[in-house]
Amino acid sequence: MGLFDALMGNASEISTENVAKEFAPILIEGERIEKAFRLIRDMFVFTNKRLILVDKQGLTGSKVDFMTIPYSSIKKFSKESAGILDLDAELKIWLTGDDVPIKKEFGKGDRINEVYQLLSTHILNKG
């Protein structure tokens, strides 16, 4: 996965060591990065305690929103695509108390399945 995948919207896996260094100021004691994915400019960061969604805003990406989602607050999630020939897929995550889901678009590729699997592991193992 490289520049072409990023341009096409495919999520690419990021080194956990690099992400751990970048996120060190916001991680709590005992928290560790398990996996991280970049989706164009945004990121999904899975830790052993929470999901962190990073949303870079604006043309230069100088404004960054870090959204912490405790796994316990995710009430359901889904992935939607039009099938094998579809170039796009959408991941939706519903949080407790919110009727409108968080939506993230993915390009064609298997990474949405990895993100979905990680969500399943964290959410379903707690239930």
Side-chain angles (χ1 to χ4, degrees):
M1 300 274 162
L3 179 61
F4 179 72
D5 288 320
L7 292 173
M8 295 304 294
N10 292 346
S12 58
E13 191 169 345
I14 309 166
S15 160
T16 56
E17 293 82 22
N18 292 344
V19 174
K21 288 177 190 171
E22 181 182 343
F23 280 65
I26 65 170
L27 298 179
I28 64 170
E29 187 175 329
E31 186 174 20
R32 67 184 184 288
I33 305 292
E34 294 181 342
K35 278 212 178 220
F37 299 93
R38 183 175 310 283
L39 185 61
I40 305 178
R41 296 188 313 167
D42 297 344
M43 291 172 56
F44 284 82
V45 179
F46 290 88
T47 78
N48 58 319
K49 308 244 180 227
R50 59 184 158 164
L51 170 62
I52 303 170
L53 297 179
V54 181
D55 181 13
K56 292 193 177 182
Q57 302 168 0
L59 291 175
T60 62
S62 58
K63 186 175 180 183
V64 182
D65 179 46
F66 294 85
M67 179 187 289
T68 288
I69 302 173
Y71 295 121
S72 61
S73 72
I74 299 173
K75 65 180 177 181
K76 64 182 177 178
F77 54 98
S78 70
K79 70 174 192 150
E80 181 180 309
S81 69
I84 296 171
L85 298 177
D86 188 42
L87 295 177
D88 299 318
E90 183 176 65
L91 179 70
K92 296 178 188 175
I93 301 172
W94 285 266
L95 304 179
T96 303
D98 289 341
D99 293 331
V100 179
I102 296 168
K103 296 177 184 179
K104 294 291 181 180
E105 296 286 332
F106 286 74
K108 187 174 182 174
D110 293 330
R111 296 299 184 179
I112 190 170
N113 292 328
E114 286 184 57
V115 171
Y116 192 85
Q117 207 170 41
L118 281 162
L119 279 171
S120 298
T121 298
H122 283 286
I123 306 309
L124 301 176
N125 282 340
K126 307 281 189 237

